[in-house]
PDB file of all heavy atoms in Angstrom:
ATOM      1  N   THR A   1     -20.157   1.597  -0.783  1.00 92.00           N
ATOM      2  CA  THR A   1     -20.499   0.622  -1.818  1.00 92.00           C
ATOM      3  C   THR A   1     -19.179   0.091  -2.369  1.00 92.00           C
ATOM      4  O   THR A   1     -18.107   0.446  -1.873  1.00 92.00           O
ATOM      5  CB  THR A   1     -21.302   1.280  -2.967  1.00 92.00           C
ATOM      6  OG1 THR A   1     -20.436   2.165  -3.696  1.00 92.00           O
ATOM      7  CG2 THR A   1     -22.503   2.049  -2.442  1.00 92.00           C
ATOM      8  N   ASP A   2     -19.246  -0.740  -3.412  1.00 89.00           N
ATOM      9  CA  ASP A   2     -18.015  -1.243  -4.034  1.00 89.00           C
ATOM     10  C   ASP A   2     -17.185  -0.111  -4.634  1.00 89.00           C
ATOM     11  O   ASP A   2     -15.971  -0.232  -4.753  1.00 89.00           O
ATOM     12  CB  ASP A   2     -18.349  -2.256  -5.136  1.00 89.00           C
ATOM     13  CG  ASP A   2     -18.799  -3.593  -4.571  1.00 89.00           C
ATOM     14  OD1 ASP A   2     -18.572  -3.822  -3.365  1.00 89.00           O
ATOM     15  OD2 ASP A   2     -19.384  -4.385  -5.324  1.00 89.00           O
ATOM     16  N   ASN A   3     -17.846   0.990  -5.020  1.00 93.00           N
ATOM     17  CA  ASN A   3     -17.156   2.079  -5.708  1.00 93.00           C
ATOM     18  C   ASN A   3     -16.998   3.358  -4.894  1.00 93.00           C
ATOM     19  O   ASN A   3     -16.198   4.212  -5.244  1.00 93.00           O
ATOM     20  CB  ASN A   3     -17.900   2.442  -7.005  1.00 93.00           C
ATOM     21  CG  ASN A   3     -18.016   1.276  -7.943  1.00 93.00           C
ATOM     22  OD1 ASN A   3     -19.006   0.569  -7.921  1.00 93.00           O
ATOM     23  ND2 ASN A   3     -17.009   1.050  -8.755  1.00 93.00           N
ATOM     24  N   ILE A   4     -17.751   3.502  -3.820  1.00 95.00           N
ATOM     25  CA  ILE A   4     -17.750   4.758  -3.061  1.00 95.00           C
ATOM     26  C   ILE A   4     -17.310   4.499  -1.621  1.00 95.00           C
ATOM     27  O   ILE A   4     -17.734   3.527  -0.997  1.00 95.00           O
ATOM     28  CB  ILE A   4     -19.141   5.411  -3.072  1.00 95.00           C
ATOM     29  CG1 ILE A   4     -19.543   5.751  -4.517  1.00 95.00           C
ATOM     30  CG2 ILE A   4     -19.163   6.678  -2.220  1.00 95.00           C
ATOM     31  CD1 ILE A   4     -20.972   6.203  -4.677  1.00 95.00           C
ATOM     32  N   ALA A   5     -16.448   5.370  -1.119  1.00 96.00           N
ATOM     33  CA  ALA A   5     -15.951   5.241   0.259  1.00 96.00           C
ATOM     34  C   ALA A   5     -15.877   6.607   0.926  1.00 96.00           C
ATOM     35  O   ALA A   5     -15.666   7.628   0.263  1.00 96.00           O
ATOM     36  CB  ALA A   5     -14.574   4.594   0.259  1.00 96.00           C
ATOM     37  N   ALA A   6     -16.062   6.625   2.242  1.00 96.00           N
ATOM     38  CA  ALA A   6     -15.893   7.841   3.049  1.00 96.00           C
ATOM     39  C   ALA A   6     -14.490   7.821   3.652  1.00 96.00           C
ATOM     40  O   ALA A   6     -13.937   6.751   3.939  1.00 96.00           O
ATOM     41  CB  ALA A   6     -16.940   7.897   4.144  1.00 96.00           C
ATOM     42  N   LEU A   7     -13.893   9.000   3.846  1.00 97.00           N
ATOM     43  CA  LEU A   7     -12.507   9.120   4.298  1.00 97.00           C
ATOM     44  C   LEU A   7     -12.378  10.008   5.532  1.00 97.00           C
ATOM     45  O   LEU A   7     -13.137  10.956   5.706  1.00 97.00           O
ATOM     46  CB  LEU A   7     -11.629   9.743   3.202  1.00 97.00           C
ATOM     47  CG  LEU A   7     -11.711   9.197   1.793  1.00 97.00           C
ATOM     48  CD1 LEU A   7     -10.912  10.088   0.848  1.00 97.00           C
ATOM     49  CD2 LEU A   7     -11.191   7.779   1.745  1.00 97.00           C
ATOM     50  N   ALA A   8     -11.375   9.701   6.344  1.00 98.00           N
ATOM     51  CA  ALA A   8     -10.937  10.589   7.425  1.00 98.00           C
ATOM     52  C   ALA A   8      -9.416  10.620   7.361  1.00 98.00           C
ATOM     53  O   ALA A   8      -8.774   9.563   7.300  1.00 98.00           O
ATOM     54  CB  ALA A   8     -11.409  10.086   8.780  1.00 98.00           C
ATOM     55  N   ASN A   9      -8.825  11.815   7.340  1.00 98.00           N
ATOM     56  CA  ASN A   9      -7.391  11.954   7.124  1.00 98.00           C
ATOM     57  C   ASN A   9      -6.787  12.968   8.099  1.00 98.00           C
ATOM     58  O   ASN A   9      -7.368  14.016   8.354  1.00 98.00           O
ATOM     59  CB  ASN A   9      -7.133  12.423   5.683  1.00 98.00           C
ATOM     60  CG  ASN A   9      -5.664  12.520   5.357  1.00 98.00           C
ATOM     61  OD1 ASN A   9      -4.986  11.510   5.211  1.00 98.00           O
ATOM     62  ND2 ASN A   9      -5.153  13.727   5.246  1.00 98.00           N
ATOM     63  N   VAL A  10      -5.620  12.635   8.650  1.00 98.00           N
ATOM     64  CA  VAL A  10      -4.878  13.575   9.493  1.00 98.00           C
ATOM     65  C   VAL A  10      -3.394  13.395   9.184  1.00 98.00           C
ATOM     66  O   VAL A  10      -2.936  12.277   8.909  1.00 98.00           O
ATOM     67  CB  VAL A  10      -5.170  13.353  10.997  1.00 98.00           C
ATOM     68  CG1 VAL A  10      -4.720  11.976  11.461  1.00 98.00           C
ATOM     69  CG2 VAL A  10      -4.541  14.442  11.839  1.00 98.00           C
ATOM     70  N   GLY A  11      -2.637  14.495   9.182  1.00 98.00           N
ATOM     71  CA  GLY A  11      -1.217  14.402   8.848  1.00 98.00           C
ATOM     72  C   GLY A  11      -0.421  15.560   9.408  1.00 98.00           C
ATOM     73  O   GLY A  11      -0.938  16.387  10.157  1.00 98.00           O
ATOM     74  N   VAL A  12       0.843  15.597   9.019  1.00 98.00           N
ATOM     75  CA  VAL A  12       1.725  16.702   9.402  1.00 98.00           C
ATOM     76  C   VAL A  12       2.742  16.909   8.282  1.00 98.00           C
ATOM     77  O   VAL A  12       3.229  15.940   7.684  1.00 98.00           O
ATOM     78  CB  VAL A  12       2.429  16.429  10.760  1.00 98.00           C
ATOM     79  CG1 VAL A  12       3.314  15.201  10.680  1.00 98.00           C
ATOM     80  CG2 VAL A  12       3.206  17.635  11.230  1.00 98.00           C
ATOM     81  N   LEU A  13       3.009  18.175   7.963  1.00 98.00           N
ATOM     82  CA  LEU A  13       3.971  18.536   6.924  1.00 98.00           C
ATOM     83  C   LEU A  13       4.961  19.554   7.479  1.00 98.00           C
ATOM     84  O   LEU A  13       4.551  20.536   8.110  1.00 98.00           O
ATOM     85  CB  LEU A  13       3.255  19.148   5.714  1.00 98.00           C
ATOM     86  CG  LEU A  13       2.444  18.203   4.839  1.00 98.00           C
ATOM     87  CD1 LEU A  13       1.502  18.994   3.943  1.00 98.00           C
ATOM     88  CD2 LEU A  13       3.354  17.309   4.005  1.00 98.00           C
ATOM     89  N   PHE A  14       6.251  19.306   7.253  1.00 97.00           N
ATOM     90  CA  PHE A  14       7.312  20.233   7.656  1.00 97.00           C
ATOM     91  C   PHE A  14       7.904  20.848   6.395  1.00 97.00           C
ATOM     92  O   PHE A  14       8.257  20.126   5.452  1.00 97.00           O
ATOM     93  CB  PHE A  14       8.397  19.495   8.451  1.00 97.00           C
ATOM     94  CG  PHE A  14       7.898  18.845   9.700  1.00 97.00           C
ATOM     95  CD1 PHE A  14       7.494  17.505   9.695  1.00 97.00           C
ATOM     96  CD2 PHE A  14       7.790  19.550  10.889  1.00 97.00           C
ATOM     97  CE1 PHE A  14       7.023  16.895  10.842  1.00 97.00           C
ATOM     98  CE2 PHE A  14       7.309  18.955  12.044  1.00 97.00           C
ATOM     99  CZ  PHE A  14       6.924  17.621  12.016  1.00 97.00           C
ATOM    100  N   TYR A  15       8.056  22.172   6.398  1.00 96.00           N
ATOM    101  CA  TYR A  15       8.511  22.872   5.205  1.00 96.00           C
ATOM    102  C   TYR A  15       9.944  23.370   5.338  1.00 96.00           C
ATOM    103  O   TYR A  15      10.355  23.851   6.393  1.00 96.00           O
ATOM    104  CB  TYR A  15       7.599  24.062   4.903  1.00 96.00           C
ATOM    105  CG  TYR A  15       6.258  23.649   4.354  1.00 96.00           C
ATOM    106  CD1 TYR A  15       5.199  23.340   5.210  1.00 96.00           C
ATOM    107  CD2 TYR A  15       6.049  23.536   2.992  1.00 96.00           C
ATOM    108  CE1 TYR A  15       3.975  22.940   4.708  1.00 96.00           C
ATOM    109  CE2 TYR A  15       4.826  23.134   2.483  1.00 96.00           C
ATOM    110  CZ  TYR A  15       3.793  22.835   3.345  1.00 96.00           C
ATOM    111  OH  TYR A  15       2.591  22.435   2.844  1.00 96.00           O
ATOM    112  N   ALA A  16      10.674  23.268   4.242  1.00 93.00           N
ATOM    113  CA  ALA A  16      12.001  23.878   4.151  1.00 93.00           C
ATOM    114  C   ALA A  16      11.801  25.338   3.749  1.00 93.00           C
ATOM    115  O   ALA A  16      10.995  25.647   2.873  1.00 93.00           O
ATOM    116  CB  ALA A  16      12.843  23.160   3.102  1.00 93.00           C
ATOM    117  N   THR A  17      12.526  26.241   4.406  1.00 88.00           N
ATOM    118  CA  THR A  17      12.392  27.671   4.130  1.00 88.00           C
ATOM    119  C   THR A  17      13.748  28.278   3.798  1.00 88.00           C
ATOM    120  O   THR A  17      14.785  27.629   3.950  1.00 88.00           O
ATOM    121  CB  THR A  17      11.784  28.413   5.338  1.00 88.00           C
ATOM    122  OG1 THR A  17      12.685  28.313   6.443  1.00 88.00           O
ATOM    123  CG2 THR A  17      10.440  27.821   5.733  1.00 88.00           C
ATOM    124  N   GLU A  18      13.718  29.523   3.349  1.00 80.00           N
ATOM    125  CA  GLU A  18      14.947  30.221   2.963  1.00 80.00           C
ATOM    126  C   GLU A  18      15.806  30.591   4.171  1.00 80.00           C
ATOM    127  O   GLU A  18      16.998  30.801   4.047  1.00 80.00           O
ATOM    128  CB  GLU A  18      14.598  31.500   2.190  1.00 80.00           C
ATOM    129  CG  GLU A  18      13.856  31.268   0.884  1.00 80.00           C
ATOM    130  CD  GLU A  18      14.750  30.686  -0.204  1.00 80.00           C
ATOM    131  OE1 GLU A  18      15.983  30.764  -0.067  1.00 80.00           O
ATOM    132  OE2 GLU A  18      14.210  30.138  -1.173  1.00 80.00           O
ATOM    133  N   PHE A  19      15.206  30.681   5.363  1.00 78.00           N
ATOM    134  CA  PHE A  19      15.915  31.168   6.540  1.00 78.00           C
ATOM    135  C   PHE A  19      15.983  30.099   7.616  1.00 78.00           C
ATOM    136  O   PHE A  19      14.975  29.470   7.947  1.00 78.00           O
ATOM    137  CB  PHE A  19      15.221  32.425   7.095  1.00 78.00           C
ATOM    138  CG  PHE A  19      15.001  33.490   6.059  1.00 78.00           C
ATOM    139  CD1 PHE A  19      13.746  33.650   5.479  1.00 78.00           C
ATOM    140  CD2 PHE A  19      16.041  34.306   5.652  1.00 78.00           C
ATOM    141  CE1 PHE A  19      13.538  34.624   4.505  1.00 78.00           C
ATOM    142  CE2 PHE A  19      15.839  35.280   4.689  1.00 78.00           C
ATOM    143  CZ  PHE A  19      14.590  35.434   4.107  1.00 78.00           C
ATOM    144  N   ASP A  20      17.170  29.889   8.178  1.00 78.00           N
ATOM    145  CA  ASP A  20      17.359  28.887   9.226  1.00 78.00           C
ATOM    146  C   ASP A  20      16.570  29.224  10.486  1.00 78.00           C
ATOM    147  O   ASP A  20      16.183  28.338  11.249  1.00 78.00           O
ATOM    148  CB  ASP A  20      18.847  28.756   9.583  1.00 78.00           C
ATOM    149  CG  ASP A  20      19.655  28.185   8.429  1.00 78.00           C
ATOM    150  OD1 ASP A  20      19.060  27.498   7.572  1.00 78.00           O
ATOM    151  OD2 ASP A  20      20.882  28.427   8.384  1.00 78.00           O
ATOM    152  N   GLU A  21      16.345  30.511  10.729  1.00 79.00           N
ATOM    153  CA  GLU A  21      15.678  30.952  11.956  1.00 79.00           C
ATOM    154  C   GLU A  21      14.162  30.789  11.881  1.00 79.00           C
ATOM    155  O   GLU A  21      13.459  30.972  12.866  1.00 79.00           O
ATOM    156  CB  GLU A  21      15.994  32.423  12.251  1.00 79.00           C
ATOM    157  CG  GLU A  21      17.463  32.735  12.462  1.00 79.00           C
ATOM    158  CD  GLU A  21      18.208  32.921  11.142  1.00 79.00           C
ATOM    159  OE1 GLU A  21      17.541  33.027  10.072  1.00 79.00           O
ATOM    160  OE2 GLU A  21      19.452  32.933  11.162  1.00 79.00           O
ATOM    161  N   TYR A  22      13.643  30.472  10.692  1.00 84.00           N
ATOM    162  CA  TYR A  22      12.187  30.405  10.486  1.00 84.00           C
ATOM    163  C   TYR A  22      11.777  28.976  10.159  1.00 84.00           C
ATOM    164  O   TYR A  22      12.393  28.322   9.324  1.00 84.00           O
ATOM    165  CB  TYR A  22      11.805  31.340   9.329  1.00 84.00           C
ATOM    166  CG  TYR A  22      10.355  31.276   8.917  1.00 84.00           C
ATOM    167  CD1 TYR A  22       9.359  31.803   9.730  1.00 84.00           C
ATOM    168  CD2 TYR A  22       9.987  30.701   7.704  1.00 84.00           C
ATOM    169  CE1 TYR A  22       8.029  31.758   9.342  1.00 84.00           C
ATOM    170  CE2 TYR A  22       8.648  30.655   7.312  1.00 84.00           C
ATOM    171  CZ  TYR A  22       7.684  31.177   8.141  1.00 84.00           C
ATOM    172  OH  TYR A  22       6.371  31.128   7.763  1.00 84.00           O
ATOM    173  N   SER A  23      10.750  28.475  10.830  1.00 91.00           N
ATOM    174  CA  SER A  23      10.222  27.142  10.520  1.00 91.00           C
ATOM    175  C   SER A  23       8.707  27.223  10.364  1.00 91.00           C
ATOM    176  O   SER A  23       8.039  28.062  10.977  1.00 91.00           O
ATOM    177  CB  SER A  23      10.598  26.134  11.608  1.00 91.00           C
ATOM    178  OG  SER A  23      10.031  26.496  12.844  1.00 91.00           O
ATOM    179  N   PHE A  24       8.199  26.334   9.514  1.00 93.00           N
ATOM    180  CA  PHE A  24       6.770  26.355   9.210  1.00 93.00           C
ATOM    181  C   PHE A  24       6.275  24.919   9.064  1.00 93.00           C
ATOM    182  O   PHE A  24       6.923  24.088   8.433  1.00 93.00           O
ATOM    183  CB  PHE A  24       6.515  27.133   7.917  1.00 93.00           C
ATOM    184  CG  PHE A  24       5.060  27.305   7.582  1.00 93.00           C
ATOM    185  CD1 PHE A  24       4.296  28.248   8.237  1.00 93.00           C
ATOM    186  CD2 PHE A  24       4.461  26.496   6.621  1.00 93.00           C
ATOM    187  CE1 PHE A  24       2.943  28.408   7.941  1.00 93.00           C
ATOM    188  CE2 PHE A  24       3.115  26.648   6.317  1.00 93.00           C
ATOM    189  CZ  PHE A  24       2.355  27.614   6.974  1.00 93.00           C
ATOM    190  N   MET A  25       5.126  24.633   9.674  1.00 96.00           N
ATOM    191  CA  MET A  25       4.534  23.310   9.548  1.00 96.00           C
ATOM    192  C   MET A  25       3.024  23.420   9.436  1.00 96.00           C
ATOM    193  O   MET A  25       2.429  24.434   9.822  1.00 96.00           O
ATOM    194  CB  MET A  25       4.910  22.418  10.736  1.00 96.00           C
ATOM    195  CG  MET A  25       4.355  22.871  12.067  1.00 96.00           C
ATOM    196  SD  MET A  25       4.835  21.821  13.468  1.00 96.00           S
ATOM    197  CE  MET A  25       3.787  20.408  13.184  1.00 96.00           C
ATOM    198  N   GLN A  26       2.413  22.387   8.864  1.00 97.00           N
ATOM    199  CA  GLN A  26       0.961  22.331   8.724  1.00 97.00           C
ATOM    200  C   GLN A  26       0.451  20.992   9.247  1.00 97.00           C
ATOM    201  O   GLN A  26       1.102  19.955   9.077  1.00 97.00           O
ATOM    202  CB  GLN A  26       0.545  22.466   7.258  1.00 97.00           C
ATOM    203  CG  GLN A  26       0.716  23.849   6.681  1.00 97.00           C
ATOM    204  CD  GLN A  26       0.297  23.892   5.221  1.00 97.00           C
ATOM    205  OE1 GLN A  26       0.613  23.007   4.444  1.00 97.00           O
ATOM    206  NE2 GLN A  26      -0.418  24.939   4.848  1.00 97.00           N
ATOM    207  N   ILE A  27      -0.731  21.029   9.865  1.00 98.00           N
ATOM    208  CA  ILE A  27      -1.401  19.820  10.326  1.00 98.00           C
ATOM    209  C   ILE A  27      -2.780  19.787   9.670  1.00 98.00           C
ATOM    210  O   ILE A  27      -3.696  20.501  10.089  1.00 98.00           O
ATOM    211  CB  ILE A  27      -1.533  19.797  11.862  1.00 98.00           C
ATOM    212  CG1 ILE A  27      -0.154  19.856  12.512  1.00 98.00           C
ATOM    213  CG2 ILE A  27      -2.298  18.552  12.320  1.00 98.00           C
ATOM    214  CD1 ILE A  27      -0.173  20.021  14.016  1.00 98.00           C
ATOM    215  N   PRO A  28      -2.936  18.993   8.599  1.00 98.00           N
ATOM    216  CA  PRO A  28      -4.248  18.879   7.964  1.00 98.00           C
ATOM    217  C   PRO A  28      -5.142  17.869   8.686  1.00 98.00           C
ATOM    218  O   PRO A  28      -4.688  16.789   9.062  1.00 98.00           O
ATOM    219  CB  PRO A  28      -3.915  18.396   6.546  1.00 98.00           C
ATOM    220  CG  PRO A  28      -2.590  17.737   6.657  1.00 98.00           C
ATOM    221  CD  PRO A  28      -1.877  18.339   7.833  1.00 98.00           C
ATOM    222  N   ILE A  29      -6.405  18.247   8.888  1.00 98.00           N
ATOM    223  CA  ILE A  29      -7.418  17.359   9.464  1.00 98.00           C
ATOM    224  C   ILE A  29      -8.635  17.471   8.546  1.00 98.00           C
ATOM    225  O   ILE A  29      -9.288  18.524   8.509  1.00 98.00           O
ATOM    226  CB  ILE A  29      -7.783  17.758  10.904  1.00 98.00           C
ATOM    227  CG1 ILE A  29      -6.533  17.772  11.791  1.00 98.00           C
ATOM    228  CG2 ILE A  29      -8.831  16.819  11.483  1.00 98.00           C
ATOM    229  CD1 ILE A  29      -6.731  18.410  13.147  1.00 98.00           C
ATOM    230  N   GLN A  30      -8.925  16.395   7.803  1.00 98.00           N
ATOM    231  CA  GLN A  30      -9.966  16.479   6.782  1.00 98.00           C
ATOM    232  C   GLN A  30     -10.794  15.196   6.692  1.00 98.00           C
ATOM    233  O   GLN A  30     -10.339  14.123   7.082  1.00 98.00           O
ATOM    234  CB  GLN A  30      -9.333  16.756   5.414  1.00 98.00           C
ATOM    235  CG  GLN A  30      -8.605  18.089   5.340  1.00 98.00           C
ATOM    236  CD  GLN A  30      -7.894  18.272   4.012  1.00 98.00           C
ATOM    237  OE1 GLN A  30      -7.052  17.469   3.638  1.00 98.00           O
ATOM    238  NE2 GLN A  30      -8.228  19.340   3.312  1.00 98.00           N
ATOM    239  N   VAL A  31     -11.995  15.340   6.165  1.00 98.00           N
ATOM    240  CA  VAL A  31     -12.846  14.202   5.830  1.00 98.00           C
ATOM    241  C   VAL A  31     -13.228  14.342   4.361  1.00 98.00           C
ATOM    242  O   VAL A  31     -13.093  15.424   3.771  1.00 98.00           O
ATOM    243  CB  VAL A  31     -14.110  14.138   6.713  1.00 98.00           C
ATOM    244  CG1 VAL A  31     -13.739  13.874   8.160  1.00 98.00           C
ATOM    245  CG2 VAL A  31     -14.934  15.415   6.595  1.00 98.00           C
ATOM    246  N   GLY A  32     -13.717  13.247   3.764  1.00 98.00           N
ATOM    247  CA  GLY A  32     -14.079  13.337   2.360  1.00 98.00           C
ATOM    248  C   GLY A  32     -14.625  12.035   1.817  1.00 98.00           C
ATOM    249  O   GLY A  32     -15.123  11.193   2.567  1.00 98.00           O
ATOM    250  N   ALA A  33     -14.514  11.875   0.502  1.00 97.00           N
ATOM    251  CA  ALA A  33     -15.043  10.690  -0.165  1.00 97.00           C
ATOM    252  C   ALA A  33     -14.194  10.355  -1.384  1.00 97.00           C
ATOM    253  O   ALA A  33     -13.491  11.215  -1.920  1.00 97.00           O
ATOM    254  CB  ALA A  33     -16.494  10.927  -0.581  1.00 97.00           C
ATOM    255  N   ARG A  34     -14.255   9.085  -1.774  1.00 97.00           N
ATOM    256  CA  ARG A  34     -13.570   8.615  -2.979  1.00 97.00           C
ATOM    257  C   ARG A  34     -14.546   7.837  -3.855  1.00 97.00           C
ATOM    258  O   ARG A  34     -15.441   7.152  -3.359  1.00 97.00           O
ATOM    259  CB  ARG A  34     -12.406   7.691  -2.628  1.00 97.00           C
ATOM    260  CG  ARG A  34     -11.123   8.394  -2.324  1.00 97.00           C
ATOM    261  CD  ARG A  34     -10.011   7.396  -2.061  1.00 97.00           C
ATOM    262  NE  ARG A  34      -8.779   8.098  -1.702  1.00 97.00           N
ATOM    263  CZ  ARG A  34      -7.723   7.500  -1.187  1.00 97.00           C
ATOM    264  NH1 ARG A  34      -7.732   6.192  -0.973  1.00 97.00           N
ATOM    265  NH2 ARG A  34      -6.644   8.194  -0.886  1.00 97.00           N
ATOM    266  N   TYR A  35     -14.295   7.924  -5.160  1.00 97.00           N
ATOM    267  CA  TYR A  35     -15.030   7.111  -6.125  1.00 97.00           C
ATOM    268  C   TYR A  35     -14.027   6.272  -6.904  1.00 97.00           C
ATOM    269  O   TYR A  35     -13.092   6.808  -7.509  1.00 97.00           O
ATOM    270  CB  TYR A  35     -15.847   7.988  -7.083  1.00 97.00           C
ATOM    271  CG  TYR A  35     -16.513   7.171  -8.162  1.00 97.00           C
ATOM    272  CD1 TYR A  35     -17.662   6.434  -7.879  1.00 97.00           C
ATOM    273  CD2 TYR A  35     -15.976   7.104  -9.446  1.00 97.00           C
ATOM    274  CE1 TYR A  35     -18.268   5.661  -8.856  1.00 97.00           C
ATOM    275  CE2 TYR A  35     -16.570   6.330 -10.429  1.00 97.00           C
ATOM    276  CZ  TYR A  35     -17.720   5.609 -10.131  1.00 97.00           C
ATOM    277  OH  TYR A  35     -18.305   4.826 -11.098  1.00 97.00           O
TER     278      TYR A  35
END
């Protein structure tokens, strides 16, 4: 409608960590809605 929408989202996040030898990343895959 004019006020309501459905969403599909995908991304990638790279994290800085305390140790050079360690790396961590996340890949979010989500659906949802907005008002």
Side-chain angles (χ1 to χ4, degrees):
T1 69
D2 286 345
N3 301 94
I4 298 171
L7 311 172
N9 183 72
V10 63
V12 62
L13 288 164
F14 300 93
Y15 287 87
T17 64
E18 298 288 343
F19 308 101
D20 294 336
E21 299 83 12
Y22 175 72
S23 62
F24 185 78
M25 65 181 285
Q26 288 179 317
I27 300 172
I29 303 169
Q30 297 175 302
V31 295
R34 274 183 183 167
Y35 175 77

